[in-house]
Amino acid sequence: MVGKVVIIEISGDTSVKPSVIVLKKDREPELYEKARRLDIGTALCFEGEVSPIQKSKRGVEYIVKSITIYSEPLEPLPVDTVGKVPTLLDTRIKYRYLLLRNPVEKAIFKIRAGIIEAARKYFISKGFIEVHTPKIVAAGAEGGATLFPVKYFEQEAYLSQSPQLYKQILMTGLPRVFEITPYFRAEKFNTTRHLNESWGIDAEQGFINGVEDVMKTLEELVCYITDYLRENYVEEQEVLGIEIEKLTPPFKKIKFEEAVDILRSEGIEIPEGEDLTDAAEKKLGEIMAEKGHKIYFIIGFPWKATGFYYMREEDGYHTRKFDLDYKGLEIASGGQREHRYDKLIEAMKNKGLNPENFEFYLEAFKYGMPPHGGFGLGIERLMMKLLNLENIREAIIFVRDRTRIVP
Ligand code: ATP
Ligand code: MG
């Protein structure tokens, strides 16, 4: 309140920035009185015009003709939606639905929607068809330990940890598919980069000439998303105080073994044939950034460190699996898959899996499976790096982690 003026910021439904309504005692005495008594958190509608004088830096100012109150808070709000008082992450997660009234939270989740919007546009422009694969499944892509069991009538079932097996089967009939999908992972993570329910942008394409085709698609997708956000989400970036950086293809490619050598020379231990740890990934990110590469592919993962479905090179040691890392964080994994039936059975056995449990999957490989490959890009991981979020829990409205299943 400034003298005989009431100024109220109203979180709207279109702009991330609030509408600012200004009521003067001498200009609109009744509305002034009404506005003076409003509690923070009231749901209301106002009618008015954009003010000829714009003083607020926070949003557009309006002169108001009427205010209709729809609902008043029964209690003071449990969080500061204005954002003047810092709120603990735990409380923020609990009351995210209220905090979405704050321009910063609103901007984060508008950008999330923008990522998905851009991904759809990109895939459609390239002839990919959007599909939905089942989230209740009988077998996982990576094995039992990471699956959430589900009671499914008389049968044992799980929540899907990845659309991997299904998008591969689809290559027989739809050789370009994408899916925007949750991943359910039962690992007892407690990190700043893992959720138990996370979302991915998955793609699979057939009739490829090699893994390069798949990397090209991923590279184009990521560049399309960042360009799209840079162009269409200007206000959101401003509210967040960031500028999403322009990424230009081709991204740097570094062999897994080169990465290991670099890391070992920095004194980081990497056991033979094992995947990079989070700490190693982060260190590699720093080293690569010094060389001018914030985003890069790690290619040629060793067979010992990959899923059974990746194509092995002739040497038996390497595979056509890659990761895409951005600022020291894995944001996507992908590769060329094994499409030859016999080799696939051999690979499963080699990984200690029982081919009988994957019959529905294997059968598809008997009927003219084209060479194919694809990837899964983590939406929250991408958001973390684009928006400089410290914790992955900032990138999803309702968090599912080791301890949270409400709200
Ligand atoms: P990590 O090794 O980092 O735990 P991953 O290799 O098990 O991840 P993938 O199976 O390769 O994950 O999944 C594809 C992408 O989905 C990952 O690159 C990541 O961006 C995202 N993703 C996977 N699991 C999670 C998770 N638990 N929480 C958040 N994002 C995830
Ligand atoms: Mg991975």
Side-chain angles (χ1 to χ4, degrees):
M1 225 183 292
V2 187
K4 293 200 171 136
V5 178
V6 179
I7 299 171
I8 302 175
E9 286 184 9
I10 297 169
S11 164
D13 47 8
T14 50
S15 168
V16 277
K17 291 187 180 174
S19 303
V20 181
I21 64 172
V22 182
L23 300 123
K24 293 189 179 168
K25 190 173 183 182
D26 51 6
R27 191 174 62 192
E28 53 265 308
E30 272 170 42
L31 285 175
Y32 169 88
E33 281 308 321
K34 192 172 188 177
R36 243 163 54 100
R37 286 193 294 270
L38 288 175
D39 284 330
I40 291 185
T42 305
L44 59 79
C45 172
F46 74 87
E47 267 183 285
E49 280 167 19
V50 174
S51 169
I53 304 158
Q54 292 289 328
K55 285 190 192 154
S56 170
K57 287 194 186 78
R58 295 169 54 90
V60 177
E61 284 188 37
Y62 289 85
I63 297 176
V64 180
K65 289 204 196 81
S66 76
I67 297 175
T68 311
I69 295 171
Y70 290 131
S71 170
E72 283 176 300
L74 302 179
E75 292 171 18
L77 303 195
V79 280
D80 171 24
T81 53
V82 181
K84 284 197 178 128
V85 190
T87 313
L88 288 175
L89 181 64
D90 196 39
T91 315
R92 290 228 306 287
I93 293 171
K94 188 170 171 195
Y95 293 111
R96 182 99 69 199
Y97 58 91
L98 280 177
L99 286 168
L100 286 167
R101 292 175 181 172
N102 182 280
V104 169
E105 297 276 344
K106 208 178 277 215
I108 292 174
F109 293 102
K110 279 191 89 170
I111 290 183
R112 181 181 169 111
I115 290 173
I116 291 162
E117 192 181 294
R120 280 214 169 90
K121 277 186 196 285
Y122 168 77
F123 281 123
I124 291 166
S125 79
K126 296 286 171 179
F128 283 76
I129 290 173
E130 184 162 6
V131 294
H132 298 114
T133 61
K135 301 305 143 202
I136 302 177
V137 297
E142 315 285 346
T146 64
L147 294 164
F148 284 112
V150 175
K151 241 180 110 183
Y152 195 75
F153 307 112
E154 297 76 27
Q155 294 182 56
E156 211 178 309
Y158 306 96
L159 292 180
S160 166
Q161 66 193 171
S162 150
Q164 182 65 34
L165 306 182
Y166 288 94
K167 63 180 185 174
Q168 282 194 262
I169 292 180
L170 286 176
M171 289 301 97
T172 53
L174 288 176
R176 279 175 175 239
V177 297
F178 76 100
E179 179 171 12
I180 293 160
T181 174
Y183 303 150
F184 301 97
R185 308 224 168 160
E187 281 139 295
K188 291 180 179 170
F189 311 106
N190 190 11
T191 75
T192 54
R193 54 231 270 150
H194 289 99
L195 294 164
N196 293 100
E197 179 178 315
S198 65
W199 283 76
I201 300 172
D202 260 81
E204 200 71 25
Q205 65 189 99
F207 299 97
I208 55 170
N209 293 313
V211 67
E212 292 74 22
D213 290 355
V214 183
M215 288 194 275
K216 187 157 179 283
T217 302
L218 175 55
E219 195 172 76
E220 281 181 3
L221 170 69
V222 172
C223 293
Y224 188 94
I225 291 173
T226 48
D227 286 348
Y228 190 81
L229 296 175
R230 282 168 58 82
E231 199 179 319
N232 298 294
Y233 287 78
V234 175
E235 195 180 80
E236 287 74 11
Q237 292 176 71
E238 190 192 312
V239 162
L240 294 173
I242 55 154
E243 191 190 322
I244 289 173
E245 71 190 311
K246 172 129 187 103
L247 298 174
T248 3
F251 299 161
K252 174 79 183 163
K253 296 181 179 71
I254 167 172
K255 287 194 181 127
F256 183 84
E257 270 142 42
E258 283 174 56
V260 169
D261 285 346
I262 294 174
L263 287 164
R264 284 187 181 150
S265 73
E266 294 281 325
I268 294 181
E269 214 179 302
I270 312 217
E272 186 55 33
E274 276 185 31
D275 201 350
L276 305 181
T277 59
D278 289 354
E281 260 176 25
K282 199 168 171 193
K283 183 72 195 169
L284 183 66
E286 286 164 20
I287 297 164
M288 293 299 284
E290 278 168 24
K291 296 180 183 172
H293 309 295
K294 282 194 192 159
I295 190 158
Y296 47 89
F297 285 107
I298 304 172
I299 60 171
F301 274 67
W303 168 247
K304 266 170 77 181
T306 68
F308 73 87
Y309 45 82
Y310 286 106
M311 187 178 272
R312 284 169 94 166
E313 298 290 5
E314 288 298 312
D315 64 10
Y317 183 86
H318 295 97
T319 66
R320 298 194 183 169
K321 175 193 165 163
F322 61 77
D323 270 2
L324 179 63
D325 283 29
Y326 187 21
K327 298 180 188 163
L329 178 67
E330 175 193 325
I331 60 166
S333 281
Q336 180 165 2
R337 322 300 188 186
E338 183 53 74
H339 65 281
R340 296 161 297 183
Y341 184 80
D342 296 346
K343 295 262 181 204
L344 196 53
I345 302 245
E346 198 183 302
M348 277 186 167
K349 289 184 179 157
N350 187 290
K351 289 278 181 193
L353 296 166
N354 183 358
E356 279 173 26
N357 297 338
F358 294 85
E359 250 178 55
F360 73 98
Y361 167 74
L362 286 167
E363 211 189 348
F365 290 75
K366 290 181 183 169
Y367 311 121
M369 179 62 84
H372 64 277
F375 56 82
L377 168 66
I379 294 174
E380 295 84 14
R381 295 265 181 105
L382 177 63
M383 285 172 68
M384 280 178 82
K385 291 300 154 180
L386 292 179
L387 310 182
N388 304 327
L389 306 175
E390 293 287 322
N391 193 314
I392 196 162
R393 292 165 183 79
E394 306 274 11
I396 187 155
I397 297 185
F398 298 109
V399 174
R400 290 293 172 268
D401 62 9
R402 184 70 186 83
T403 55
R404 290 182 179 87
I405 53 168
V406 287

